[in-house]
């Protein structure tokens, strides 16, 4: 059975969740190295772990979808599975504290409040190859 993110945070803590996250990313990287290219959407804290940055940097291309805090807050307002977003003040501090880590990405796209289709179009214009 698969545990939810909030359950892992509750029962094992954030550190254990981050270890699991890195393990899963490592498996995805091995899959890519095995000839199965793919898009991997990382969670908000993934790039705060240097090992994750190294895995992506050495085996892929990273794109930071830089989204304004107000847009993120509106998107997650009704969600209950994000343990680090339950306190709005703490969430804003977390958002600001992670921006430097996100800045390590190969590319940055300012998403504003654009549609997913418009954001994908901008990604496809990047000189990725």
């Amino acid at each position: 059975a698969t545990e939810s993110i909030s359950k892992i945070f509750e029962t094992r803590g954030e550190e254990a969740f981050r270890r699991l996250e890195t393990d899963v990313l490592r498996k995805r990287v091995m899959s890519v190295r095995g000839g199965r290219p793919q898009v991997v959407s990382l969670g908000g804290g993934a790039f705060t772990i240097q090992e994750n940055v190294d895995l992506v940097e050495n085996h892929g291309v990273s794109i930071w979808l830089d989204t304004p805090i107000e847009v993120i807050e509106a998107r997650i307002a009704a969600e209950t599975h994000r343990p680090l977003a339950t306190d709005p003040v703490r969430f804003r501090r977390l958002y600001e504290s992670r921006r430097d880590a996100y800045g390590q990405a190969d590319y940055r796209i300012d998403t504003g409040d654009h549609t997913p289709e418009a954001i994908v179009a901008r990604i496809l214009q990047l000189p990725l190859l």
Side-chain angles (χ1 to χ4, degrees):
T2 303
E3 282 184 276
S4 68
I5 293 170
S6 54
K7 187 69 171 175
I8 294 169
F9 266 76
E10 180 186 320
T11 60
R12 299 195 239 167
E14 182 177 0
E15 189 176 322
F17 172 80
R18 297 292 169 210
R19 281 194 306 273
L20 290 168
E21 183 177 54
T22 298
D23 290 344
V24 170
L25 179 57
R26 190 177 301 104
K27 288 176 185 168
R28 294 292 104 208
V29 164
M30 290 302 152
S31 180
V32 169
R33 288 179 67 191
R36 289 172 293 229
Q38 55 198 279
V39 173
V40 178
S41 176
L42 300 175
F47 243 49
T48 64
I49 307 295
Q50 190 59 46
E51 184 177 357
N52 295 343
V53 175
D54 294 343
L55 281 167
V56 173
E57 192 173 272
N58 293 326
H59 303 286
V61 175
S62 57
I63 303 169
W64 170 22
L65 301 180
D66 189 0
T67 305
I69 185 70
E70 297 78 14
V71 173
I72 295 171
E73 287 172 332
R75 287 180 186 166
I76 66 171
E79 295 181 358
T80 59
H81 70 280
R82 296 179 178 273
L84 298 180
T86 55
D87 176 339
V89 173
R90 182 175 172 220
F91 181 68
R92 277 184 173 255
R93 276 194 301 248
L94 188 62
Y95 172 88
E96 290 301 329
S97 72
R98 289 177 171 177
R99 293 183 64 77
D100 285 344
Y102 300 159
Q104 298 176 81
D106 297 316
Y107 297 97
R108 177 187 165 271
I109 298 220
D110 183 358
T111 66
D113 62 355
H114 300 290
T115 65
E117 294 80 11
I119 296 166
V120 168
R122 292 187 62 198
I123 292 169
L124 293 175
Q125 292 173 352
L126 294 172
L128 299 175
L129 301 175

